Amino acid sequence: MAGLAVVAALTGCGELEAQIGADTGTATDATGSHSKGDITDALKKLDKLAVKGRAPRTGFERDKFGPAWADVDRNGCDTRNDILKRDLSDETFKPGTHDCIVLTGILKDPYSGKTISFKRGQDTSTAVQIDHLIPLSDAWQKGAQQWTATKRKEFANDPLNLLAVDGPLNGQKSDSDAATWLPPRKAYRCAYIARQIDVKAKYDVWVTSAEKAAMKGILDAC
């Protein structure tokens, strides 16, 4: 029923995020235009994804995907700060960290359209969180249980699967897939789904039938 509700609500898919630089961690464009070819490509990739039921969540632990925010690209900065640097504007950095620790910045949140001021601190950092577009728990139930530890760590830290977003919305999403949660900003839904499909295709993560129906419904409406 959740999948049907999502499909029924699909409107306003007017933007598709440019993927240039997504794998390398360069700036992403949350308001990029899309072409018919972009949508066709996403639909082709979706059609090739395996469709299976959700496996049990048994055995899932965050550390199965490696330490949180490891420096996998060995640039001296952890992944969280890499993504903050990529997605925020007007950043300031902690002195002496070689611009690795972001202290402040401005986020144009793709999920809500709001402008959010980020300030590093125990009580303030959570205003901006790093979302796994394909949540780790969801991936665990759709293939990741069989992966090597190295592949799971790569997945958890891949810039293609990461996005700085509004903290409360990230908490609301939790480990939901496209059948049960979509960004409230309808103009970003095409970009969101296209990027989810890119991640799933890259790592061979399967989809459920409800999830595939929701994704196809979104793309068809773009």
Side-chain angles (χ1 to χ4, degrees):
M1 292 296 293
L4 292 175
V6 167
V7 173
L10 302 176
T11 57
C13 295
E15 299 167 359
L16 179 63
E17 178 180 17
Q19 292 302 314
I20 298 173
D23 282 315
T24 58
T26 53
T28 56
D29 178 9
T31 60
S33 61
H34 71 269
S35 69
K36 186 175 181 180
D38 294 324
I39 301 305
T40 299
D41 183 60
L43 285 166
K44 286 180 178 178
K45 289 180 179 178
L46 175 61
D47 199 47
K48 292 179 181 178
L49 295 178
V51 179
K52 303 181 185 180
R54 183 185 293 271
R57 195 172 182 272
T58 307
F60 170 75
E61 296 174 2
R62 173 61 180 84
D63 61 13
K64 294 285 181 67
F65 289 80
W69 311 130
D71 179 18
V72 294
D73 60 3
R74 300 184 181 180
N75 68 346
C77 307
D78 65 66
T79 302
R80 173 178 165 78
N81 279 288
D82 280 340
I83 301 304
L84 289 174
K85 287 171 66 175
R86 186 194 69 184
D87 293 352
L88 301 186
S89 60
D90 299 327
E91 304 100 321
T92 64
F93 301 92
K94 184 175 181 179
T97 64
H98 303 287
D99 288 353
C100 268
I101 297 180
V102 179
L103 291 181
T104 63
I106 302 297
L107 174 70
K108 179 68 173 178
D109 176 41
Y111 288 177
S112 67
K114 296 189 301 183
T115 298
I116 302 171
S117 295
F118 170 78
K119 182 178 181 181
R120 182 182 176 88
Q122 183 175 349
D123 299 324
T124 55
S125 287
T126 55
V128 173
Q129 297 178 19
I130 309 302
D131 181 35
H132 287 92
L133 278 88
I134 305 300
L136 302 186
S137 173
D138 185 61
W140 179 261
Q141 297 173 79
K142 297 173 182 175
Q145 292 186 39
Q146 285 75 49
W147 297 352
T148 64
T150 298
K151 183 176 179 179
R152 286 197 290 263
K153 183 177 179 181
E154 178 187 351
F155 177 85
N157 291 277
D158 190 337
L160 182 63
N161 192 33
L162 298 171
L163 199 62
V165 300
D166 174 79
L169 282 180
N170 187 44
Q172 180 192 94
K173 174 186 173 181
S174 186
D175 60 358
S176 300
D177 64 18
T180 53
W181 190 91
L182 291 170
R185 181 180 166 224
K186 293 179 180 179
Y188 192 69
R189 290 179 179 178
C190 293
Y192 178 77
I193 292 304
R195 190 155 163 181
Q196 281 195 326
I197 291 169
D198 278 344
V199 174
K200 294 212 168 204
K202 181 176 180 179
Y203 289 92
D204 296 319
V205 178
W206 72 69
V207 290
T208 65
S209 57
E211 181 183 12
K212 182 175 181 177
M215 287 177 156
K216 187 176 186 306
I218 291 166
L219 295 177
D220 285 344
C222 290

